Amino acid sequence: MKIAQECVGCIINQSQRVADAIHADESLKKQLFEHVSAMSEKFSFDLSPPEIAADVYEAMAQIAHKEDLYDEVKRISTQKARSFVPFLKEKLQKSDDKLLTATKIAVAGNVIDLAAAVAFDLEEELEKIFHTEFSHNDFTKLTQELHKAKKVVILGDNVGEHIFDYLFIETLKELFPELEIYYMVRGCPIINDVTLNEAREAGFDKLCHLVDSGVNTPGFVYKRATKEAQELFDTADLLISKGMGNYECLSPSHRDNICFLLKVKCNVVAASLGKEVGDIICKLT
């Protein structure tokens, strides 16, 4: 996906969220807003929103003299997500369809998105996710592909959400014990996306193969990835792509058999999918 005019205002507004996250004073808040506004006049409409965001967040980090702008928020998101784990494990234990329940859990976690134009309440989402149908529903196809696959790559998205991804992968390992699973994360701090640090703290390195994609974008941009990540991307039998950023970067992609799991949180992505803001998506290409 390329950026739309609507994306420009959204990206500019993210400077205000960054200012709040780092407790910026009025002078720094103004500096961040003015710098991003100036950058917006030169945004390339040949790039995806995550590619634009990478440059914007790098500039804001330099202005704020802070490498990880959302480190404090990410810790809070992780703590909040962990508080729901006992409830979610009980849901899984009692479920008649563990794979569907785990997939819904993975999608519910996708509401933890600090770059989204629309905010959702995590507790509210968990209350209703198990009774909500996928607006685009390729879950049966996903199940079939999992039965056939030997190697699956899961593209991680946000911190907090990764705790729910952990439960998803645990379920995959239980249901498909021969499946080789890779969890791919960002190469450096960008917005609130999951990196090696958060994934290791959560134990992903002991759960599955943990891979640093090398990308500095809030979405998997193939050309920015390491050779190892590119090879895994190309050779996996199935790719499971979490969240809007990965969807924006991989629509279109040079390969097929990508399952997009996300909650629609902006009008641009909604239009691309032909869905509504708030819909949950399980789309297999």
Side-chain angles (χ1 to χ4, degrees):
M1 283 178 57
K2 308 302 182 188
I3 66 165
Q5 189 61 46
E6 188 174 338
C7 300
V8 176
C10 178
I11 293 171
I12 292 173
N13 288 338
Q14 287 176 42
S15 69
Q16 301 296 309
R17 298 185 195 181
V18 167
D20 292 340
I22 64 175
H23 311 293
D25 60 25
E26 288 303 317
S27 175
L28 179 53
K29 187 179 295 187
K30 181 180 178 183
Q31 191 177 356
L32 289 169
F33 179 78
E34 289 180 348
H35 189 86
V36 175
S37 295
M39 289 183 72
S40 71
E41 296 176 7
K42 298 180 181 179
F43 284 170
S44 171
F45 283 79
D46 291 326
L47 297 177
S48 66
E51 288 175 291
I52 296 291
D55 294 337
V56 168
Y57 275 85
E58 181 180 357
M60 287 194 287
Q62 290 174 353
I63 292 169
H65 303 292
K66 186 174 176 62
E67 181 183 3
D68 190 345
L69 294 165
Y70 281 114
D71 53 358
E72 180 182 343
V73 178
K74 289 194 290 186
R75 283 194 294 272
I76 294 169
S77 295
T78 298
Q79 290 169 0
K80 184 168 185 178
R82 285 190 186 281
S83 72
F84 291 106
V85 168
F87 165 74
L88 296 174
K89 283 190 172 182
E90 184 179 358
K91 281 285 186 182
L92 282 166
Q93 289 170 358
K94 295 180 178 179
S95 174
D96 294 328
D97 189 337
K98 278 192 173 182
L99 181 58
L100 178 59
T101 299
T103 304
K104 291 282 189 73
I105 287 171
V107 173
N110 187 233
V111 305
I112 306 172
D113 186 350
L114 301 180
V118 177
F120 292 89
D121 181 81
L122 180 57
E123 188 168 1
E124 181 182 324
E125 290 301 308
L126 287 174
E127 287 294 329
K128 66 183 182 182
I129 190 72
F130 303 108
H131 310 289
T132 303
E133 295 295 324
F134 287 112
S135 179
H136 188 116
N137 193 349
D138 285 338
F139 178 74
T140 299
K141 293 180 181 178
L142 171 61
T143 304
Q144 293 168 347
E145 292 302 322
L146 283 167
H147 277 287
K148 294 189 295 183
K150 295 180 179 179
K151 181 166 69 175
V152 171
V153 170
I154 299 171
L155 300 177
D157 191 27
N158 299 316
V159 171
E161 178 181 355
H162 75 303
I163 300 300
F164 295 179
D165 291 344
Y166 191 99
L167 296 176
F168 178 57
I169 294 173
E170 275 190 325
T171 304
L172 290 181
K173 287 170 66 71
E174 177 187 342
L175 298 177
F176 308 97
E178 301 301 317
L179 190 61
E180 193 172 7
I181 302 172
Y182 294 79
Y183 190 67
M184 200 175 289
V185 299
R186 309 294 186 238
C188 62
I190 175 70
I191 316 183
N192 65 325
D193 285 25
V194 60
T195 68
L196 280 179
N197 286 340
E198 295 87 18
R200 282 177 177 150
E201 287 173 0
F204 278 86
D205 52 332
K206 299 177 180 64
L207 177 69
C208 61
H209 300 285
L210 180 59
V211 181
D212 182 344
S213 67
V215 304
N216 65 339
T217 44
F220 184 80
V221 178
Y222 181 86
K223 64 185 179 184
R224 299 194 185 196
T226 64
K227 288 185 179 180
E228 177 193 11
Q230 288 178 345
E231 183 177 355
L232 277 171
F233 183 91
D234 290 336
T235 59
D237 299 306
L238 172 67
L239 276 158
I240 298 176
S241 166
K242 294 294 306 298
M244 291 201 311
N246 286 320
Y247 171 77
E248 289 166 343
C249 293
L250 296 174
S251 301
S253 172
H254 62 268
R255 65 155 291 165
D256 56 11
N257 238 30
I258 302 176
C259 182
F260 294 103
L261 294 178
L262 67 144
K263 186 175 183 75
V264 180
K265 289 164 286 191
C266 82
N267 291 324
V268 175
V269 170
S272 170
L273 289 162
K275 301 299 177 182
E276 302 292 332
V277 171
D279 285 350
I280 59 172
I281 304 297
C282 178
K283 179 179 181 179
L284 189 68
T285 61

